[in-house]
Amino acid sequence: MSGLLYNRKASAALASLGAGGRLPHAILLEGPAGSGKHLAAEIIARYALCTAQEKPCGQCAGCVKVGKRVHPDVRYYGVPEGKKEFPIDLVREIRQDAYIAPNEGTCKIYILEQAHAMNAAAQNALLKSIEEPPPHARFVLLCENRSMLLPTILSRVTAIELEVPSVEQCAQALETLAPDAPEEERRAAAAGAGGNIGRALELLGSAKPSKAAADARQLREILVFGDRYQALKILAAYDKDRQSLLDLLPLLEEGFAQAALARYRRPAAGGQEERLTNRLTCEQAICAAEAAAQAAEQARRNVSVPLLCACMVERIKAAVGG
Ligand SMILES: [Zn+2]
């Protein structure tokens, strides 16, 4: 549940749907990639299949199976790999299956990913199931933009809008979703992913961030205490690896941002970063963080890697007075 807390409006809407104990037959979850549609669909499935009094409890066999995606009464459908459309054959399959009674629960949940990728014929086929649904069937449609769905479909669904969380909200969600990751890496992943929780988890889960985190730490030290040639030497390893550089730069930015924050709050606490924090003024640390952020922006816009690294190093050295 907690992953959706950032999205209070959507959480409230889901809770009110589940409160009466009777979910609508068709729910539309609309929002851009990374807005938590899959998580919301999972919560709906838990409301439907939880066997506890207080739904969804997250602990009963029903909830656990939904979370592991092994509940026999929750079916996922989407655009097959290598295809661009949600095939009408799949819709027909869903319609037939919906008339078969549930296995374990009291209802069957059909989660239709990329529902906007259904052509008109497929949507019309689906419409029949939504208009006269078998009593135990619940349909959850996921789409990025409702304008791609037929008005007849839209008039029969309960729609919930989801928004991409802010970087701050994403970092908060990662506290719960990835408690083992160091805070610095969680914040960098949230920033690197632009708030997209799924992408941020990917960033945290891949091996790259660890190497990137080590390099970012070393770079910060060198940029503040060392000389620019040492810094450029580390960055030269990224000349042909723009993607890894995009993992590194948000970490570098985050490290300086944290230094600025620590300086602002003036804690006397020790720790690895103390030397760096004491050396920089709040403004210097902010300028350095901005230089790293600008470099990341340039890296995304395909500016030459050696060029953007050289510019960043010059800016940071100028900011920190070295
Ligand atoms: Zn439960």
Side-chain angles (χ1 to χ4, degrees):
M1 277 302 280
S2 48
L4 256 196
L5 281 182
Y6 69 85
N7 214 320
R8 287 181 194 286
K9 217 169 68 182
S11 293
L14 285 177
S16 71
L17 287 185
R22 291 195 68 87
L23 283 172
H25 280 280
I27 298 173
L28 173 70
L29 297 172
E30 179 194 27
S35 56
K37 296 190 291 292
H38 290 90
L39 190 59
E42 190 183 310
I43 291 170
I44 291 171
R46 286 189 178 187
Y47 269 120
L49 296 166
C50 178
T51 53
Q53 279 286 340
E54 291 278 316
K55 299 174 201 295
C57 72
Q59 324 233 306
C60 70
C63 283
V64 170
K65 282 183 183 177
V66 170
K68 288 183 179 164
R69 286 202 171 200
V70 295
H71 201 295
D73 296 321
V74 184
R75 307 283 170 89
Y76 290 86
Y77 295 88
V79 177
E81 227 176 285
K83 295 266 166 58
K84 284 188 175 150
E85 282 197 339
F86 193 117
I88 188 168
D89 288 347
L90 214 48
V91 177
R92 294 193 179 117
E93 195 184 309
I94 293 167
R95 281 179 55 195
Q96 284 183 352
D97 189 87
Y99 284 97
I100 303 169
N103 291 281
E104 293 180 6
T106 51
C107 59
K108 275 169 120 174
I109 317 288
Y110 294 89
I111 297 176
L112 280 51
E113 298 167 342
Q114 301 136 294
H116 53 264
M118 285 184 198
N119 63 24
Q123 289 189 41
N124 274 318
L126 178 69
L127 185 62
K128 289 178 189 158
S129 295
I130 296 182
E131 277 176 332
E132 292 165 36
H136 51 257
R138 301 287 182 277
F139 300 93
V140 182
L141 280 57
L142 277 52
C143 86
E144 293 186 3
N145 192 330
R146 72 174 79 186
S147 68
M148 300 176 76
L149 295 175
L150 294 175
T152 41
I153 294 261
L154 291 177
S155 68
R156 285 182 169 78
V157 298
T158 302
I160 296 178
E161 256 180 82
L162 298 161
E163 289 158 7
V164 176
S166 68
V167 169
E168 188 56 35
Q169 289 167 327
C170 175
Q172 275 170 17
L174 292 180
E175 256 174 56
T176 319
L177 297 171
D180 295 336
E183 190 190 345
E184 183 187 318
E185 284 187 32
R186 286 199 304 257
R187 295 193 152 274
N196 179 327
I197 293 177
R199 171 86 184 118
L201 282 171
E202 272 174 32
L203 283 177
L204 278 177
S206 67
K208 279 181 198 162
S210 312
K211 157 128 174 65
D215 277 355
R217 195 176 289 270
Q218 201 189 353
L219 258 179
R220 275 201 304 278
E221 281 282 314
I222 291 173
L223 285 166
V224 176
F225 299 106
D227 68 57
R228 64 200 65 200
Y229 301 105
Q230 288 173 285
L232 288 171
K233 206 171 139 191
I234 293 180
L235 288 165
Y238 291 84
D239 275 2
K240 291 191 168 58
D241 192 356
R242 187 178 295 270
Q243 196 50 50
S244 297
L245 186 70
L246 281 169
D247 291 331
L248 170 78
L249 293 175
L251 286 163
L252 189 63
E253 177 194 352
E254 184 60 28
F256 280 122
Q258 288 296 321
L261 204 62
R263 195 76 181 121
Y264 180 69
R265 290 180 185 149
R266 291 189 172 279
Q272 275 179 311
E273 305 291 330
E274 192 192 18
R275 189 166 86 107
L276 191 128
T277 305
N278 288 341
R279 162 68 176 75
L280 296 177
T281 67
C282 186
E283 269 175 358
Q284 285 176 327
I286 290 173
C287 285
E290 280 175 359
Q294 193 187 43
E297 181 57 38
Q298 289 170 335
R300 278 190 282 273
R301 290 204 320 259
N302 270 350
V303 173
S304 135
V305 169
L307 181 66
L308 71 90
C309 286
C311 288
M312 177 184 73
V313 169
E314 282 309 316
R315 285 190 63 194
I316 294 178
K317 289 307 276 181
V320 305

